[in-house]
């Protein structure tokens, strides 16, 4: 997904749904001017605490993504696993109004129909929040607010190796990389299988 972000130095970045602040800290470490919003007061405090600990200048605001209030425009708007909790088209429309000319929105979202991750979702804490997982149709509908649109899907069979993300095991990591390479080749040969992937990375440009 970082390939979609491009050069970050001196870019004005808005992250929507900051979580614990790790991604915002990365943007800041790359020389970006970073603003983060989250509707959760707990997340806002966590991000502020992390920024203070790392001695980073990150602007953190409690704000609803469906009603963005900014006087300045942004070079990049970044959204990771947040659209599932909001009115998706409303947020995309709001993003288009605060994006600079030739700026971009980069979105990483889990996909609704990914069959190989349904078992994990059954036990996920997200179930209680009733997430509205993304679809390619939803992303295509959102392109009406922007001039350009592209997307790329990841994690087909490699989604079965989810535990490899949390275990320090070289064999598992090598196995994951091999399966991920196979996934990429399969998606290229048979584009329709992208609908079964776990994650989509989307870029809109103004």
């Amino acid at each position: 997904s970082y390939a979609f972000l491009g050069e970050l130095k001196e870019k004005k970045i808005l992250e929507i749904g900051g979580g614990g602040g790790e991604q915002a800290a990365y943007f800041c470490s790359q020389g970006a001017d970073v603003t983060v919003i989250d509707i959760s007061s707990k997340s806002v405090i966590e991000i502020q605490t992390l920024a203070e600990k790392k001695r980073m200048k990150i602007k953190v605001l409690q704000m609803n993504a469906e009603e963005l209030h900014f006087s300045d425009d942004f070079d990049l708007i970044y959204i990771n696993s947040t659209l599932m909790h909001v009115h998706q088209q409303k947020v995309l429309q709001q993003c288009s109004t605060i994006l600079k000319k030739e700026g971009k929105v980069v979105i990483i979202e889990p996909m609704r129909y990914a069959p190989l991750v349904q078992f994990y979702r059954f036990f996920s804490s997200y179930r209680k929040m009733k997430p509205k997982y993304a679809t390619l149709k939803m992303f295509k509908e959102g392109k009406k607010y922007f001039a350009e649109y592209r997307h790329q899907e990841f994690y087909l069979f490699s989604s079965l190796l989810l535990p490899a993300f949390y275990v320090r095991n070289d064999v598992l990591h090598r196995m994951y990389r091999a399966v991920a390479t196979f996934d990429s080749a399969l998606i290229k040969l048979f584009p329709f299988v992208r609908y079964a992937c776990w994650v989509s990375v989307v870029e809109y440009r103004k």
Side-chain angles (χ1 to χ4, degrees):
S1 62
Y2 281 5
F4 280 70
L5 298 175
E7 176 61 48
L8 299 177
K9 188 175 182 181
E10 298 182 358
K11 293 293 177 65
K12 191 168 184 181
I13 298 177
L14 171 66
E15 181 178 8
I16 295 178
E22 293 82 5
Q23 190 65 60
Y26 169 75
F27 293 152
C28 193
S29 73
Q30 299 301 301
D33 177 358
V34 184
T35 300
V36 186
I37 67 165
D38 203 295
I39 199 168
S40 165
S41 57
K42 181 180 178 181
S43 288
V44 168
I45 293 171
E46 286 182 7
I47 299 167
Q48 289 173 332
T49 301
L50 181 66
E52 291 170 4
K53 182 180 179 180
K54 290 181 175 289
R55 297 182 180 179
M56 289 179 166
K57 186 178 180 182
I58 300 173
K59 186 176 182 180
V60 190
L61 301 169
Q62 186 173 4
M63 189 182 296
N64 187 340
E66 297 175 12
E67 299 176 8
L68 299 177
H69 301 289
F70 291 101
S71 56
D72 297 329
D73 294 336
F74 293 88
D75 298 296
L76 170 66
I77 300 174
Y78 178 81
I79 308 173
N80 190 335
S81 302
T82 297
L83 286 184
M84 68 177 86
H85 303 303
V86 297
H87 189 296
Q88 296 156 346
Q89 296 303 314
K90 190 176 291 186
V91 171
L92 292 176
Q93 188 276 330
Q94 286 285 296
C95 287
S96 71
T97 65
I98 60 167
L99 194 63
K100 287 182 180 178
K101 184 66 177 177
E102 299 184 357
K104 60 185 176 182
V105 181
V106 174
I107 301 169
I108 303 172
E109 284 288 323
M111 302 294 286
R112 182 180 301 172
Y113 302 117
L116 300 181
V117 297
Q118 298 306 322
F119 175 79
Y120 297 105
R121 286 178 178 169
F122 184 79
F123 296 100
S124 171
S125 59
Y126 277 153
R127 281 189 70 205
K128 299 176 182 178
M129 303 173 73
K130 298 181 179 179
K132 297 170 287 185
Y133 290 111
T135 64
L136 293 182
K137 182 180 178 181
M138 180 272 288
F139 285 129
K140 186 176 182 180
E141 183 182 348
K143 74 177 183 179
K144 64 188 174 186
Y145 304 114
F146 304 91
E148 298 178 31
Y149 157 69
R150 68 177 176 128
H151 61 92
Q152 186 173 349
E153 282 63 54
F154 300 88
Y155 310 121
L156 183 57
F157 291 109
S158 55
S159 63
L160 292 172
L161 294 172
L162 270 174
F165 287 101
Y166 309 103
V167 178
R168 290 186 177 182
N169 184 293
D170 290 340
V171 174
L172 272 178
H173 289 182
R174 284 196 297 271
M175 187 184 302
Y176 165 76
R177 288 192 292 269
V179 177
T181 300
F182 173 77
D183 281 353
S184 297
L186 193 63
I187 293 167
K188 190 174 182 178
L189 282 171
F190 305 104
F192 65 88
V193 302
R194 67 180 66 250
Y195 289 92
C197 288
W198 176 29
V199 171
S200 184
V201 181
V202 179
E203 177 190 290
Y204 295 106
R205 282 185 178 269
K206 194 166 183 179

